[in-house]
Amino acid sequence: MGRIVLPRHATPFHLTLALDPRDGRQASQLAAALVRAIAEGQLHDGDPLPSTRSLARHLGLARSAVVAAYEELSAAGFLVATAGSATRVGPGARSASLAGAYTHPTEAEPQSAGAEGTAHPIRLDLRPGHPDPGLIDDRDWARAWRRAAAAPLQPPADAVTALRPGFGHSFHEPLRRALAEHLRRNRAVVCDAADVFLFPGVNAALRALVGLVGEPDRAIAFEEPGYSTGRRALESSGARVRPIPVDAEGLRVDDLGDEWGCYVTPAHQYPLGSRMSVARRAALLDWATAHDALILEDDYDGEFRYDVAPMPSLHSMNAGAERVIYLGTASKMLARELRVAWVVLPRRLREPMQDFLARTGDSVNPVAAAALAEFVDSGALVRQLARAQRGYAARRSRFTEACRDLLPGLVLQGIEAGLHVVLRLPAGIDDRALRDRLLVDGLACQALSDYWLGDPGAGESKSGGLVCGYARLPETRAREAAALIAAALARIQAEPGAPPA
Amino acid sequence: MGRIVLPRHATPFHLTLALDPRDGRQASQLAAALVRAIAEGQLHDGDPLPSTRSLARHLGLARSAVVAAYEELSAAGFLVATAGSATRVGPGARSASLAGAYTHPTEAEPQSAGAEGTAHPIRLDLRPGHPDPGLIDDRDWARAWRRAAAAPLQPPADAVTALRPGFGHSFHEPLRRALAEHLRRNRAVVCDAADVFLFPGVNAALRALVGLVGEPDRAIAFEEPGYSTGRRALESSGARVRPIPVDAEGLRVDDLGDEWGCYVTPAHQYPLGSRMSVARRAALLDWATAHDALILEDDYDGEFRYDVAPMPSLHSMNAGAERVIYLGTASKMLARELRVAWVVLPRRLREPMQDFLARTGDSVNPVAAAALAEFVDSGALVRQLARAQRGYAARRSRFTEACRDLLPGLVLQGIEAGLHVVLRLPAGIDDRALRDRLLVDGLACQALSDYWLGDPGAGESKSGGLVCGYARLPETRAREAAALIAAALARIQAEPGAPPA
């Protein structure tokens, strides 16, 4: 600890500052030394400090370090900076310093490498659930945000709802209106703007739904395998989840019991990719009516289908508007960056949800909401969907062709719609092990087994699989991806003790 | 129900469409009629439909209504639109129509007026908690969003954390770095970027903190009166809240017991406006150390103080970095539209929070995060804070002067800092009744009684009060506001049975 004596600004006596390297970087050393000087009584309340320039020169420090130390101590109340005059010791600084009102900062540790330390560079990213932001028209994107930012900042919510503290949730009417119209035209979901509720994500919506309509004494049915993140969102809100197996027609409705609700992905079952048959849809609605239950229809990538006719959403069917809670998201159709999801509620739930949201205070970012409304209203979203549909169709065809060529024995599931397929593996192959090997090779995808709540081996679909999103896989690299998978699979099958190929 | 017979496109026979006005607007009537024609077998799978132009002419409908009906039925799977060819009845349409796979839409009800129906126009908005967005430099605001939108869209999170479904939370490093630097310079909160966690609001942060560090067997102490919305956020996450009275020095630390944590607003107690004394701060930290408890320091408007020296944040005091969870928000310093709040955690909680957030999947809007980072890094935030401080100081002075002139008997609390004051009312005056009357007069403010969890009469601060935010009250209208309050108070005091003035 070196002690440096320096003349005080405009005063005849000297100030002794002891800089201690253990106090971290220069600014921190100086700040700590000044607090010690205050505590020791060298500096009194109201005393002027040297100018930053002269103190830096005397101490041999960068002037920026002195400025930073003065700023830090001013913010902490030890010093008072006055424009046009010297920085002074603040009133009460000595008692504060004696009361220990200053912790000398420690140097920032280097960021721990954590899990990332073991990451391999990904050359082929086939993880599902991510659209290709490269398909978005940059000008449309920039214009939507520019217009959203140019709008006048929102006044506070109306006075009456805001009278009770905590009320004043913003519901963003322009986006609700734009989405109601978009959903009617594009997904045959007929609703009022007032039935559309906005959330910062589908998982936030699921949590709110448990709070609003969940019943503690009854479980909620969930597809098995299913969208694990959504399942965890329900569970974290206190819902008891009962897994119901999925077959080629979708959720096995006959296995349902007296649940209060049922979560399904009928447009493209996540992760298996099947489309729920019309007969199964009708049966599901019948079940809901018979048990006074609700259907949570997650239409997460319902906009994307290939070479097949669209199927009606559950919401658009008889009794659907009464029984179905329709969930959608901008994450797949546009970009996850918007963080906007929506829920269309049966009309009788409109006011309860308004009250619920006003109480909990969650809401979407209003500038993002305005940007998305601009996207919808300007027609940019419809253009985007058409462009994305073409792009994804081409990538899907090239990847599935490559898989059929290079992995001829394997079954591809879920190719009719959505943004991912499932490559079913031969019996006995551990899909998680294969996925881990592929990651080392630079190909990221997911293991089907991870989507089961129970034991995958116990269900009808015994074998494992790779869940491969092709949305961001360039057509030119489809064969490379399939070849990597084929090679990794062959290596596993060649190992001693592996199941016969 | 009129039946209209029209020649079918390129075929010799006729199509009978029965439009029913009960089916709602024209497009809906036509869609329903087409589904009935499919169900009745007039239209078969694969049949071409008339062009929209010819159908519109024959039915006397707007062409846009026919286009909308075709779109709706295409989306629902009843029709298939093929580029360059006629729209046709889709495969399986008849069985779908017979299975009831179409609900005829009902007309949108007029939006229920709800609570808003009783709202009075607000001429003077003194509700606390809202900054004045008019103080934001439009160019800074627009530039920040423009740059945020121009940034490349975010790639998915790194592969390893994303291997388990549900992992892949984005933490927005640039904003965390910018905030760590800003907090160090402006609030003496010394931390690493990795200790800063982002949330879409302080209430979301409080909910996460209950999940991360809350203890089911111990309560959390909360200021009484206090920030009711935050209290509800804690309660809704399962925390048991114990109210602790507040006096002129802040939370009465002697009344604390063995709570796992304590929520405080030391910079400007919400709502009373007092600043916690240094002695009380030290006592609070001693309590936390003795009970192995955490302090949730909500520094919601800590940037704004007037004619007084700053006080050290609890976080910057001895033991603070170990015991204090520091919460801040962009809502007061800039605009609620950003929906970004932050939490600085003791280092030992860094990894647990990373895991927790990755599981729950909540996060801030990344474009908003980028815009705020741009605001901080470009210096626009510091300029904004300086400008806002000057503007709010002037509004505060004018309003408090007007209150002293026109409401001479009343005590003003909390004038040293923040964006609101409390006007204490004479004993026996019902503050909620006064607030309701003022709302009818066009002045919105809040009643102090609403911030109590228990009975306000039981505490030390027996009398009610009006919580008045002056951030959006122009200086030219300060006397008008004070005069309105004085007149409404005089009317209440003149009523039979009112307490003596």
Side-chain angles (χ1 to χ4, degrees):
Chain A
M1 188 189 282
R3 292 205 154 242
I4 294 162
V5 177
L6 71 159
R8 274 189 60 212
H9 173 76
T11 55
F13 65 96
H14 284 67
L15 172 65
T16 305
L17 283 182
L19 298 190
D20 184 344
R22 286 172 303 173
D23 288 332
R25 57 187 194 287
Q26 289 187 336
S28 306
Q29 293 179 29
L30 177 56
L34 284 166
V35 171
R36 281 193 294 269
I38 292 168
E40 293 163 2
Q42 282 198 74
L43 286 168
H44 294 263
D45 292 2
D47 274 355
L49 288 177
S51 72
T52 54
R53 187 181 309 274
S54 88
L55 189 55
R57 196 174 57 240
H58 277 93
L59 293 175
L61 299 176
R63 186 164 167 230
S64 61
V66 182
V67 170
Y70 278 23
E71 280 178 354
E72 194 169 313
L73 293 178
S74 296
F78 289 96
L79 303 181
V80 178
T82 324
S85 171
T87 296
R88 289 171 185 273
V89 177
R94 180 148 196 243
S95 56
S97 65
L98 292 174
Y102 185 79
T103 315
H104 78 84
T106 52
E107 274 301 85
E109 284 173 15
Q111 294 231 9
S112 81
E116 301 91 78
T118 59
H120 300 273
I122 297 178
R123 293 177 296 120
L124 294 162
D125 193 347
L126 274 63
R127 283 173 292 159
H130 295 272
D132 183 359
L135 294 173
I136 297 176
D137 184 306
D138 286 347
R139 280 174 310 175
D140 283 342
W141 180 257
R143 182 169 51 235
W145 285 98
R146 194 170 63 236
R147 291 203 181 167
L153 288 170
Q154 210 178 322
D158 73 277
V160 172
T161 55
L163 275 182
R164 278 172 287 170
F167 269 67
H169 178 83
S170 98
F171 289 94
H172 214 282
E173 282 309 309
L175 179 57
R176 298 171 87 191
R177 280 197 301 272
L179 284 173
E181 179 67 10
H182 177 82
L183 292 173
R184 187 187 65 72
R185 284 180 172 255
N186 292 277
R187 304 297 299 146
V189 171
V190 178
C191 58
D192 275 8
D195 298 320
V196 180
F197 289 88
L198 306 173
F199 294 88
V202 167
N203 295 328
L206 291 174
R207 287 196 297 271
L209 289 171
V210 171
L212 182 71
V213 294
E215 298 180 25
D217 298 335
R218 296 162 85 188
I220 177 167
F222 204 91
E223 294 170 327
E224 173 85 334
Y227 173 52
S228 329
T229 311
R231 196 177 59 219
R232 275 194 296 275
L234 293 169
E235 287 170 338
S236 74
S237 316
R240 192 157 44 84
V241 170
R242 190 175 154 232
I244 304 286
V246 168
D247 64 22
E249 287 191 68
L251 184 105
R252 293 213 307 226
V253 173
D254 289 347
D255 293 354
L256 289 169
D258 188 38
E259 290 78 23
W260 66 260
C262 176
Y263 170 94
V264 285
T265 49
H268 189 231
Q269 202 274 329
Y270 198 84
L272 292 179
S274 51
R275 301 167 79 214
M276 189 180 282
S277 69
V278 168
R280 197 61 71 83
R281 285 168 200 245
L284 184 58
L285 281 163
D286 287 347
W287 167 82
T289 304
H291 290 80
D292 194 19
L294 289 161
I295 299 169
L296 277 55
E297 175 179 27
D298 189 347
D299 198 35
Y300 67 105
D301 65 359
E303 288 77 11
F304 302 111
R305 59 184 169 75
Y306 315 101
D307 312 333
V308 290
M311 305 243 269
S313 67
L314 285 161
H315 188 280
S316 68
M317 294 175 68
N318 264 342
E322 282 305 298
R323 292 283 156 206
V324 175
I325 294 174
Y326 176 93
L327 296 107
T329 172
S331 292
K332 308 295 180 295
M333 62 162 75
L334 197 50
R336 295 162 74 97
E337 272 73 6
L338 281 165
R339 302 246 176 226
V340 177
W342 44 88
V343 166
V344 179
L345 285 182
R347 186 148 306 166
R348 66 182 182 284
L349 295 175
R350 184 195 286 183
E351 287 186 27
M353 181 60 103
Q354 283 170 348
D355 289 348
F356 181 87
L357 286 180
R359 273 203 314 283
T360 60
D362 264 346
S363 74
V364 299
N365 185 291
V367 183
L372 179 56
E374 173 71 26
F375 239 87
V376 178
D377 288 338
S378 68
L381 181 61
V382 167
R383 289 198 300 275
Q384 160 67 17
L385 287 173
R387 182 168 49 235
Q389 164 94 13
R390 288 193 301 273
Y392 295 146
R395 289 173 197 182
R396 158 199 169 267
S397 299
R398 203 58 69 89
F399 181 60
T400 54
E401 281 162 25
C403 288
R404 288 188 180 119
D405 280 358
L406 301 173
L407 293 153
L410 304 193
V411 172
L412 278 173
Q413 286 184 323
I415 62 173
E416 296 176 337
L419 303 177
H420 71 265
V421 292
V422 178
L423 197 59
R424 294 310 287 252
L425 297 174
I429 296 290
D430 178 345
D431 54 7
R432 293 184 176 112
L434 179 57
R435 171 205 63 195
D436 291 346
R437 265 172 203 244
L438 285 167
L439 189 65
V440 174
D441 296 341
L443 183 149
C445 60
Q446 291 196 329
L448 184 56
S449 302
D450 283 333
Y451 294 89
W452 256 266
L453 180 60
D455 175 12
E460 204 167 70
S461 318
K462 284 190 220 301
S463 71
L466 295 180
V467 184
C468 297
Y470 46 77
R472 288 171 297 121
L473 178 65
E475 288 141 79
T476 51
R477 305 194 63 193
R479 284 189 73 87
E480 180 185 349
L484 264 182
I485 296 171
L489 181 58
R491 286 205 309 276
I492 284 194
Q493 286 177 320
E495 283 168 8
Chain B
M1 185 189 283
R3 290 205 154 240
I4 293 164
V5 176
L6 71 157
R8 274 187 64 209
H9 173 77
T11 55
F13 66 97
H14 286 67
L15 173 65
T16 305
L17 283 181
L19 299 189
D20 184 344
R22 287 172 303 174
D23 287 331
R25 57 188 193 287
Q26 290 187 336
S28 305
Q29 291 179 30
L30 176 58
L34 285 166
V35 171
R36 280 192 295 269
I38 292 168
E40 292 163 5
Q42 283 198 72
L43 286 168
H44 293 263
D45 292 3
D47 273 357
L49 287 178
S51 73
T52 54
R53 189 182 306 274
S54 89
L55 190 55
R57 197 173 57 242
H58 277 92
L59 292 174
L61 299 176
R63 187 163 166 229
S64 61
V66 181
V67 171
Y70 279 23
E71 280 179 356
E72 194 168 314
L73 293 179
S74 297
F78 288 97
L79 303 180
V80 177
T82 324
S85 169
T87 296
R88 290 171 185 273
V89 177
R94 180 145 196 244
S95 57
S97 65
L98 293 174
Y102 186 78
T103 315
H104 79 84
T106 52
E107 275 301 84
E109 285 174 14
Q111 292 228 11
S112 80
E116 302 92 76
T118 60
H120 301 272
I122 298 177
R123 293 177 296 123
L124 293 162
D125 193 348
L126 272 65
R127 283 173 292 160
H130 296 271
D132 184 358
L135 293 173
I136 298 177
D137 184 306
D138 287 346
R139 280 173 309 175
D140 283 342
W141 179 256
R143 182 170 49 236
W145 285 98
R146 193 170 64 237
R147 291 203 180 167
L153 288 170
Q154 210 177 323
D158 73 277
V160 172
T161 56
L163 274 182
R164 277 172 288 169
F167 268 68
H169 179 84
S170 97
F171 290 96
H172 214 282
E173 282 309 309
L175 178 56
R176 298 172 86 192
R177 281 198 299 272
L179 284 173
E181 178 68 10
H182 177 82
L183 291 173
R184 186 187 66 73
R185 284 181 173 253
N186 292 276
R187 305 295 301 145
V189 171
V190 178
C191 58
D192 273 7
D195 298 321
V196 180
F197 290 88
L198 306 173
F199 293 88
V202 167
N203 295 327
L206 291 174
R207 287 196 297 270
L209 288 171
V210 171
L212 182 71
V213 293
E215 297 180 25
D217 299 334
R218 295 163 86 188
I220 176 166
F222 203 92
E223 295 170 325
E224 173 86 334
Y227 173 52
S228 328
T229 311
R231 195 177 60 219
R232 274 194 298 276
L234 293 169
E235 286 170 339
S236 74
S237 315
R240 192 156 45 84
V241 170
R242 188 172 158 235
I244 304 286
V246 169
D247 64 23
E249 285 191 70
L251 184 105
R252 292 213 308 226
V253 173
D254 289 347
D255 292 354
L256 288 170
D258 189 36
E259 291 80 23
W260 66 260
C262 176
Y263 169 94
V264 284
T265 50
H268 189 231
Q269 201 274 331
Y270 197 83
L272 290 179
S274 52
R275 302 167 80 214
M276 189 181 279
S277 69
V278 168
R280 196 63 70 83
R281 286 169 199 245
L284 184 58
L285 280 162
D286 287 347
W287 167 82
T289 304
H291 289 80
D292 195 18
L294 289 161
I295 299 169
L296 278 54
E297 175 178 28
D298 188 348
D299 198 35
Y300 67 103
D301 63 1
E303 288 79 10
F304 302 111
R305 59 186 170 73
Y306 315 102
D307 312 333
V308 290
M311 304 242 269
S313 66
L314 286 161
H315 188 280
S316 68
M317 295 174 68
N318 263 341
E322 282 305 298
R323 290 285 155 205
V324 175
I325 294 175
Y326 175 94
L327 296 105
T329 172
S331 292
K332 307 294 180 294
M333 63 162 72
L334 196 50
R336 296 162 73 96
E337 272 73 5
L338 281 164
R339 301 243 178 229
V340 177
W342 43 89
V343 166
V344 179
L345 286 181
R347 186 147 307 168
R348 68 183 182 284
L349 295 175
R350 184 195 286 182
E351 287 186 28
M353 182 59 104
Q354 284 170 347
D355 289 347
F356 181 87
L357 286 180
R359 272 203 315 282
T360 60
D362 264 347
S363 75
V364 299
N365 185 291
V367 184
L372 179 56
E374 172 72 26
F375 239 87
V376 178
D377 288 339
S378 68
L381 182 62
V382 167
R383 289 197 301 275
Q384 162 65 18
L385 286 173
R387 183 167 49 235
Q389 164 97 12
R390 287 193 301 272
Y392 295 145
R395 289 174 196 182
R396 158 199 168 268
S397 300
R398 203 57 69 89
F399 181 61
T400 54
E401 281 161 24
C403 288
R404 287 187 181 120
D405 281 358
L406 301 173
L407 293 153
L410 305 193
V411 172
L412 277 173
Q413 285 184 326
I415 62 172
E416 295 176 337
L419 303 177
H420 71 264
V421 292
V422 177
L423 197 60
R424 294 310 287 252
L425 298 174
I429 296 289
D430 178 345
D431 54 6
R432 292 182 177 115
L434 180 57
R435 170 203 66 194
D436 290 346
R437 269 174 200 245
L438 285 166
L439 189 64
V440 175
D441 297 341
L443 184 149
C445 61
Q446 290 197 330
L448 184 56
S449 302
D450 283 334
Y451 294 89
W452 256 269
L453 179 60
D455 174 12
E460 206 166 70
S461 318
K462 282 188 219 304
S463 72
L466 295 181
V467 183
C468 297
Y470 47 76
R472 289 170 297 121
L473 178 66
E475 288 142 79
T476 50
R477 304 194 64 192
R479 284 189 74 85
E480 180 186 348
L484 263 182
I485 295 171
L489 181 58
R491 284 204 311 276
I492 284 194
Q493 288 177 318
E495 283 168 8

